[in-house]
Amino acid sequence: MNRIPRPPGNRRHAFFGAFVMLAVTTSSVSAADGGPGPLGVTTVAKAGAAVARVGALFGTGDAQAGGHFCTASVVHSAQRDLIVTAAHCLGGGAVWFAPGYREGRAPYGVWKVTGTFVDEAWSGDEDEDSDVGFATLESIGGVDVEDVVGADKFVTGRGTGASAVTVTGYPDSAETPITCTNKPTVLSGTQQRIACPGFTAGTSGSPWVNTHGEVVGVLGGHEQGGSTPDVSYSVVLGDEAQDLYRTASAPR
């Protein structure tokens, strides 16, 4: 299973190769709908405002120590302190979030997780259709994470493949994020899939952001994100995800 996070410090397997992940594995070379370049091609993500909202999850507050194990991203909330990731990334223990992490540096700070939210169907039976989770972050010096890096909107009810999405995440054997744009396709009524090469362990929780700046998927779900690096999955975000978001983003 290539997406399941390993405990911090326990490197389960070697990366496929720093540049293998950049290979083109689809025949499509058509431009994404408003996206950055051809469909189905994975590249190193360039630093910028949109990428700064995506970060790596760590088991320690020292990002320079390495050992990131999952990906998360900032989504808008009234409290301005909310991230979304895969539920299987929130399995217990202390967690910190480093938005815009790159080459051992955390340019926007390292933010401690103060609360986690997963659906009962996940916490009880690890139902793959409930593999979405949220976490709240402690402020730094009275400033919240959304004030620093901004946020994407968390949106449910979008049709699978209605537009191309950009997936950005952190392989656990790399120190820079990767990104790929493609159109998702239907796996089932509750699961969607996307063909993007190189999304190995550590990329669980990567946001699927459409051309309107909306998070319409989160890498996880079926096979906890996928059993091969070239095809990834997400829960189809519906009423359950919306209810969980409302709970996580409610005033405290």
Side-chain angles (χ1 to χ4, degrees), residues 160 184-185 187 190-193 208 216-217 232-237:
T160 297
T185 58
L187 177 69
T190 56
Q191 296 284 331
Q192 52 188 325
R193 66 192 293 276
W208 297 20
V216 295
S232 300
Y233 299 92
S234 167
V235 174
V236 174
L237 301 180

Side-chain angles (χ1 to χ4, degrees), residues 57 72-75 81-85 97 113 133-137 145:
L57 295 181
S73 65
V74 183
V75 290
D81 64 352
L82 195 65
I83 58 174
V84 66
T85 186
F97 172 67
V113 168
F134 295 91
T136 53
L137 304 176
V145 67

Side-chain angles (χ1 to χ4, degrees), residues 15 18 21-22 42-46 51 54 102 166-171 174 176-180 196-200 203 206 229:
F15 194 46
M21 67 182 184
L22 306 183
T42 298
T43 62
V44 172
K46 295 180 180 179
V51 174
V54 183
R102 192 175 294 261
T166 297
V167 185
T168 304
Y170 286 83
T176 53
I178 59 173
T179 191
C180 173
C196 279
F199 279 76
T200 58
T203 59
S206 298

Side-chain angles (χ1 to χ4, degrees), residues 25-120:
T25 59
T26 71
S27 59
S28 173
V29 293
S30 60
D33 296 350
L39 298 178
V41 177
T42 298
T43 62
V44 172
K46 295 180 180 179
V51 174
R53 299 167 188 168
V54 183
L57 295 181
F58 292 82
T60 172
D62 182 6
Q64 290 185 335
H68 53 91
F69 62 93
C70 265
T71 301
S73 65
V74 183
V75 290
H76 175 66
S77 69
Q79 308 301 310
R80 306 184 71 79
D81 64 352
L82 195 65
I83 58 174
V84 66
T85 186
H88 72 261
C89 293
L90 302 173
V95 178
W96 282 261
F97 172 67
Y101 174 79
R102 192 175 294 261
E103 299 292 355
R105 297 185 296 275
Y108 306 102
V110 181
W111 305 73
K112 185 177 181 180
V113 168
T114 58
T116 60
F117 302 83
V118 298
D119 192 84
E120 291 181 357

